[in-house]
């Protein structure tokens, strides 16, 4: 298993480009199942989760080609299998996103139930309840969700909890349903809007995405299109925090600054000077140590849970004390004990971490069991004395495109140790 070796202490300076958003690319790849015409997708990040999704589509019969500009063309004319096997779903929960499209277009789907997860129990009851309300017949047996339906029927749904992939699954299913579906208490994440924009380019009639009430007028069929994925706001935020922690000055290109309001506000509070120019964010820490910040995660437009671990790492070396409360997932604290092993003064009380910043962390061998927790350990390694070795970096490869290359480009001393 590959590891990352980091020698801390270098300030990050320079410019890098942000990749396409993982959490927009995954539902959009699944959405191609809704049509038998070719869909071409650009700005796809080169990530392990994308490879897994392509493998899953390939198993179902998708013809997939990649052109010289790294645009992926997916042709789903020959879909002949309607199932997502446990072997793939266990490595990537987002495989659940094929459920809605398969059911809407083919009337059947066998999708392994995602198991437990390092960051919480993460049930999919909202997906299943919504699809059942649309007329699907759903049984869970042998660890699989087995769903069948004639044409799905439009329905007025009010979700009990705000769920990103739940909203996406139901929105995709509703594009081909009979009538006007309304989803209330929908997730407002930008990736939901990106999916809706892509579906509309495929001929869907969706309005209101980005708000908490989405309306979908079902159509008889969707068609092919070409679509570019929006930039990854969490990758952007992660590199901004890395720069802030090291007192650096960076310029991140090809991003969407307006999607990071809550994150930029916290970085400003921490002492960063932020400048925005069209698709570019400049952050300058002027060599200063950041000030600790208090954070409360919540669904968009609140502060993203996917940035919680990175800010915990920042608070570990900041001036003063900070309180971070996680409200989206019940157990997203895999990084806490590892940061403690690097010398962080951190207390975990229920769903809250209380940090008293220390001047310096010390390098250590560390490992984490989820994507953002692993990223926070890399950030900690960048400012720690001596060497940090981050193990199990396949978690990082799931969500960060060539993280060691981008950080090296900014002046970090980091390299991959092949396992
Ligand atoms: N929930 C339920 N029932 C459901 C669905 C969700 O109780 O049927 C609960 C979850 O247990 C959780 C909360 O609702 O406590 C929110 O979960 P949500 O369904 O929104 O999460 P998700 O759709 O599984 C997506 C992202 C996550 C991100 C969350 C929250 C994708 C592929 N994944 O997950 O991304 O943390 O939304 O913003 O879009 C990551 O990129 O590292 C990552 C984990």
């Amino acid at each position: 298993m590959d590891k990352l070796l980091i020698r801390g202490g270098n300030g990050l300076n320079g410019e890098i480009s942000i990749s396409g958003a993982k959490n927009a690319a995954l539902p959009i790849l699944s959405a191609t199942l809704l049509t038998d015409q070719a869909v071409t997708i650009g700005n796809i990040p080169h990530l392990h989760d994308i490879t897994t999704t392509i493998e899953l589509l390939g198993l179902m019969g998708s013809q997939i080609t990649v052109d010289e500009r790294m645009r992926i063309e997916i042709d789903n004319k020959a879909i002949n299998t309607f199932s997502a096997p446990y072997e793939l779903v266990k490595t990537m929960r987002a495989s659940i996103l094929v459920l809605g499209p398969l059911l809407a277009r083919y009337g059947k789907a066998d999708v392994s139930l995602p198991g437990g997860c390092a960051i919480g129990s993460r049930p999919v009851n909202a997906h299943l309840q919504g699809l059942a309300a649309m007329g699907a017949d759903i049984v869970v047996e042998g660890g699989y969700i087995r769903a069948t339906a004639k044409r799905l029927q439009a329905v007025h749904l009010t979700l009990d909890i705000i769920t990103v992939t739940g909203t996406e699954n139901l929105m995709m299913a509703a594009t081909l349903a009979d009538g006007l579906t309304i989803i209330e208490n929908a997730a407002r994440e930008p990736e939901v809007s990106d999916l809706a924009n892509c579906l509309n380019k495929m001929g869907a009639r969706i309005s209101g995405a980005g708000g908490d009430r989405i309306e979908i007028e079902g159509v008889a069929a969707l068609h092919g299109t070409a679509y570019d994925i929006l930039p990854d706001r969490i990758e952007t935020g992660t590199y901004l925090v890395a720069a802030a922690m090291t007192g650096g000055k960076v310029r991140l290109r090809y991003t969407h600054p307006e999607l990071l309001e809550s994150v930029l506000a916290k970085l400003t509070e921490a002492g960063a000077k932020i400048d925005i120019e069209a698709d570019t964010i400049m952050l300058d820490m002027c060599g200063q140590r950041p000030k600790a910040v208090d954070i409360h995660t919540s669904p968009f437009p609140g502060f993203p849970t996917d940035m919680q671990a990175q800010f915990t790492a920042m608070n570990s070396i900041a001036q003063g004390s900070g309180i971070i409360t996680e409200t989206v997932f019940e157990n997203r604290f895999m990084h806490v004990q590892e940061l403690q092993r690097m010398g962080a003064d951190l207390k975990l009380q229920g769903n809250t971490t209380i940090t008293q910043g220390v001047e310096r962390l010390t390098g250590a061998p560390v490992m984490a069991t989820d994507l953002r927790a692993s990223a926070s350990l890399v950030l900690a390694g960048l400012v720690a004395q001596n060497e940090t070795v981050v193990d199990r970096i396949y978690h990082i490869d799931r969500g960060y495109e060539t993280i060691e290359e981008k950080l090296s480009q900014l002046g970090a001393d980091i390299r991959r140790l092949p396992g």
Side-chain angles (χ1 to χ4, degrees):
M1 251 180 265
D2 289 5
K3 298 182 173 126
L4 284 176
L5 169 66
I6 306 160
R7 291 196 183 87
N10 295 2
L12 297 190
N13 285 287
E15 177 171 314
I16 51 169
S17 300
I18 295 303
S19 303
K22 167 179 83 78
N23 289 347
L26 297 176
I28 287 174
L29 287 168
S30 299
T32 64
L33 288 166
L34 289 162
T35 174
D36 60 8
Q37 294 184 10
V39 179
T40 305
I41 308 170
N43 203 28
I44 292 257
H46 193 264
L47 299 172
H48 208 269
D49 275 6
I50 299 294
T51 316
T52 306
T53 306
I54 286 174
E55 195 182 334
L56 175 59
L57 291 172
L59 281 178
M60 295 186 204
S62 296
Q63 301 292 321
I64 298 164
T65 48
V66 182
D67 75 10
E68 67 289 349
R69 291 162 59 209
M70 290 305 291
R71 294 169 71 85
I72 298 187
E73 187 189 90
I74 303 179
D75 186 330
N76 285 330
K77 251 196 299 296
I79 293 292
N80 51 23
T81 306
F82 311 96
S83 102
Y86 176 64
E87 288 63 39
L88 287 183
V89 179
K90 75 175 181 203
T91 67
M92 192 189 65
R93 301 179 54 85
S95 313
I96 189 78
L97 286 164
V98 300
L99 179 62
L102 283 178
L103 201 52
R105 175 142 162 67
Y106 298 98
K108 53 187 162 187
D110 272 8
V111 176
S112 170
L113 205 52
C117 172
I119 65 178
S121 64
R122 302 185 74 181
V124 291
N125 55 306
H127 305 228
L128 305 190
Q129 278 162 13
L131 292 169
M134 295 171 84
D137 192 6
I138 301 179
V139 289
V140 176
E141 58 179 19
Y144 276 73
I145 302 160
R146 303 196 194 280
T148 50
K150 298 214 170 60
R151 186 171 185 200
L152 291 171
Q153 297 301 308
V155 67
H156 189 151
L157 292 168
T158 301
L159 301 178
D160 291 339
I161 36 104
I162 299 178
T163 160
V164 176
T165 50
T167 301
E168 292 167 344
N169 235 338
L170 298 171
M171 186 168 77
M172 287 189 281
T175 58
L176 295 181
D178 185 16
L180 177 72
T181 298
I182 298 173
I183 306 176
E184 305 224 43
N185 201 28
R188 297 165 60 187
E189 269 63 8
E191 294 74 22
V192 175
S193 306
D194 206 40
L195 170 65
N197 292 340
C198 177
L199 289 166
N200 282 341
K201 276 196 86 182
M202 293 166 71
R205 295 203 194 126
I206 302 172
S207 59
D212 60 3
R213 177 187 161 104
I214 303 179
E215 295 194 1
I216 308 118
E217 175 75 51
V219 295
L222 297 184
H223 53 72
T225 192
Y227 192 79
D228 284 338
I229 304 286
L230 97 166
D232 197 313
R233 63 195 166 98
I234 306 300
E235 187 199 23
T236 307
T238 303
Y239 288 116
L240 290 174
V241 174
M245 286 173 73
T246 65
K249 179 176 178 179
V250 296
R251 189 181 162 90
L252 307 186
R253 298 172 59 218
Y254 305 123
T255 187
H256 276 188
E258 71 281 7
L259 305 182
L260 281 125
E261 257 177 40
S262 60
V263 171
L264 296 182
K266 285 297 167 187
L267 285 166
T268 304
E269 203 181 311
K273 186 172 161 299
I274 308 254
D275 285 305
I276 288 169
E277 219 174 69
D279 67 350
T280 303
I281 302 179
M282 277 86 61
L283 176 144
D284 190 354
M285 244 0 237
C286 304
Q288 299 296 307
R289 185 176 165 201
K291 294 193 266 295
V293 291
D294 294 340
I295 281 170
H296 192 93
T297 66
S298 58
F300 193 84
F303 188 93
T305 171
D306 291 344
M307 287 299 303
Q308 181 256 111
Q310 300 87 319
F311 272 81
T312 307
M314 187 183 84
N315 275 358
S316 305
I317 52 93
Q319 299 169 49
S321 63
I323 300 175
I324 297 188
T325 306
E326 170 62 54
T327 72
V328 179
F329 291 110
E330 71 260 34
N331 187 28
R332 201 170 199 181
F333 296 106
M334 306 307 299
H335 45 291
V336 167
Q337 284 194 335
E338 297 300 276
L339 288 171
Q340 284 168 335
R341 293 183 53 249
M342 295 176 76
D345 182 354
L346 254 173
K347 281 190 206 62
L348 179 59
Q349 287 178 0
N351 63 346
T352 298
T353 55
I354 303 156
T355 314
Q356 183 62 50
V358 294
E359 289 264 351
R360 196 157 282 118
L361 297 174
T362 45
V366 287
M367 81 179 158
T369 47
D370 91 82
L371 165 58
R372 309 301 171 187
S374 310
S376 79
L377 299 178
V378 172
L379 302 193
L382 294 175
V383 293
Q385 244 172 353
N386 306 324
E387 284 184 4
T388 297
V389 176
V390 184
D391 203 348
R392 298 210 180 157
I393 58 162
Y394 57 85
H395 288 294
I396 300 184
D397 294 334
R398 289 186 46 209
Y400 291 90
E401 184 168 53
T402 58
I403 193 169
E404 71 277 22
E405 284 174 28
K406 291 193 183 187
L407 286 172
S408 299
Q409 210 173 315
L410 295 173
D413 185 345
I414 178 169
R415 73 190 160 91
R416 184 176 287 254
L417 305 174

